[in-house]
Structures are given as C-alpha cells and as structure tokens.
C-alpha cells in the first residue's frame, strides 16, 4: 500500500506543479483578496459609513460586519477552544505527518493554517467554496449555473457610489 500511496501522492504533487494550476490558484487568491484591485479590508464596500455630527465619536469603531457581542463566559470558552486547537495542531502533531515533512516545516505550515482559521474573511470564503462543492456534489446538473456565476461575478463586485 505504501508504494501505491507514494505514486498517488507524486501524481498529485506533479499536478499541483502544473503552470495552469498554479496560475489559476494565484488568480483566485488575487480575486479574493483584491476585488476591483483594492485590498479587501480597504474596499469601499467594507468601509464604515462616516459619522454624523450627532453620533458619538468616542469608543472603538464598530466593524462593517456585525458580530454578536460575547459574554465573558463565551470569550473564555472561545479562548479555551482556540488554545485546544492550537495544542492539537502543533504540540500534539501526528508523528507520521511530522516525519514525512519535517518538524520545522510542519510547525510553520500548522501555524499558517491556524492563523488562516482565525481570519473571518478567509474562513467565510472557504465556507462559500465548500458550500459550492457540496451543492455541485448533490446536484451535478447545476454545473452550468455555477460556471455562469463565475463568468459573470465581476458584475457583482462593481462599486457604484
């Protein structure tokens, strides 16, 4: 089984090294992080509306995306879960995976993945892509609909003041 897995893994690595696959990956990341050529956190659609003279100016600015306020218990639980995930991913790493890629490389990759999981923007985009894959798996006849959506998605990103 080991040789078959090695052959399969090598085939997948060679596929990922294909120029068109790398180019499409780079293009996808660019479209996600720089819609309309503007970094996503600086994009006008995500900007906070200007405060009027009657609005209070003290306190931290509220984000464009409303997040529910967490109680102290919920914050402590979220911190505990984050520490638990970090511990599982990095401190208690599977020996087989660490042996395969090396300790230093594994720790760096695991830390990058952990930080990715902390980003709400990247996590939402990941969920949308997974939802699309799920829908395509359940309803393969929707393939043309998703292709059309991807071809016309530039229309949804246009900023019209």
């Amino acid at each position: 089984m080991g040789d078959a897995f090695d052959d399969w893994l090598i085939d997948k690595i060679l596929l990922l090294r294909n120029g068109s696959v790398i180019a499409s990956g780079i293009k996808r990341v660019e479209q996600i992080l720089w819609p309309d050529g503007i970094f996503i956190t600086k994009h006008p659609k995500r900007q906070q509306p200007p405060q009027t003279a009657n609005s209070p100016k003290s306190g931290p600015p509220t984000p464009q995306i409303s997040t529910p306020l967490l109680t102290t218990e919920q914050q402590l639980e979220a911190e505990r879960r984050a520490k638990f995930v970090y511990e599982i991913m990095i401190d208690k790493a599977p020996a087989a995976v660490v042996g395969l890629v090396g300790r230093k490389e594994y720790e760096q990759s695991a830390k990058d993945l952990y930080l990715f999981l902390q980003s709400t923007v990247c996590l939402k985009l990941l969920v949308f892509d997974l939802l699309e894959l799920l829908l395509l798996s359940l309803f393969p006849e929707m393939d043309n609909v998703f292709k059309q959506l991807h071809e016309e998605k530039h229309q949804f990103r246009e900023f019209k003041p």
Side-chain angles (χ1 to χ4, degrees):
M1 187 69 182
D3 290 338
F5 179 74
D6 289 345
D7 292 340
W8 176 82
L9 188 61
I10 289 171
D11 287 342
K12 297 303 175 191
I13 291 171
L14 290 176
L15 178 66
L16 290 174
R17 292 176 63 189
N18 187 347
S20 62
V21 173
I22 293 171
S24 66
I26 292 171
K27 185 69 174 170
R28 178 78 173 133
V29 169
E30 179 185 3
Q31 290 170 348
I32 290 169
L33 295 178
W34 287 275
D36 303 327
I38 303 168
F39 190 65
I40 195 162
T41 59
K42 305 292 184 193
H43 200 276
K45 291 181 182 177
R46 294 184 49 90
Q47 294 298 316
Q48 186 177 5
Q51 294 181 343
T52 61
N54 297 336
S55 66
K57 298 201 184 244
S58 63
T62 55
Q64 180 72 14
I65 301 170
S66 62
T67 56
L69 297 175
L70 299 176
T71 65
T72 307
E73 289 179 17
Q74 289 173 328
Q75 288 176 346
L76 291 173
E77 179 65 19
E79 289 174 11
R80 187 190 66 76
R81 287 183 181 181
K83 287 178 185 176
F84 177 71
V85 169
Y86 185 86
E87 180 181 316
I88 287 176
M89 289 178 66
I90 295 168
D91 297 335
K92 296 182 179 178
V97 176
V98 173
L100 182 67
V101 296
R103 185 75 175 158
K104 187 176 181 181
E105 289 79 9
Y106 175 82
E107 283 185 6
Q108 184 60 47
S109 299
K111 286 178 183 177
D112 290 343
L113 181 61
Y114 178 78
L115 292 175
F116 170 77
L117 292 173
Q118 303 303 309
S119 169
T120 57
V121 173
C122 292
L123 207 52
K124 285 179 185 177
L125 292 171
L126 177 66
V127 169
F128 289 141
D129 284 343
L130 289 175
L131 181 62
E132 179 183 334
L133 287 173
L134 177 68
L135 288 172
L136 281 173
S137 297
L138 293 173
F139 307 105
E141 63 273 8
M142 290 182 67
D143 188 42
N144 291 333
V145 174
F146 282 109
K147 284 182 182 176
Q148 183 181 3
L149 179 68
H150 286 291
E151 290 171 0
E152 298 174 359
K153 68 182 171 187
H154 66 280
Q155 294 175 353
F156 301 109
R157 290 190 175 158
E158 292 178 3
F159 177 68
K160 297 176 185 173

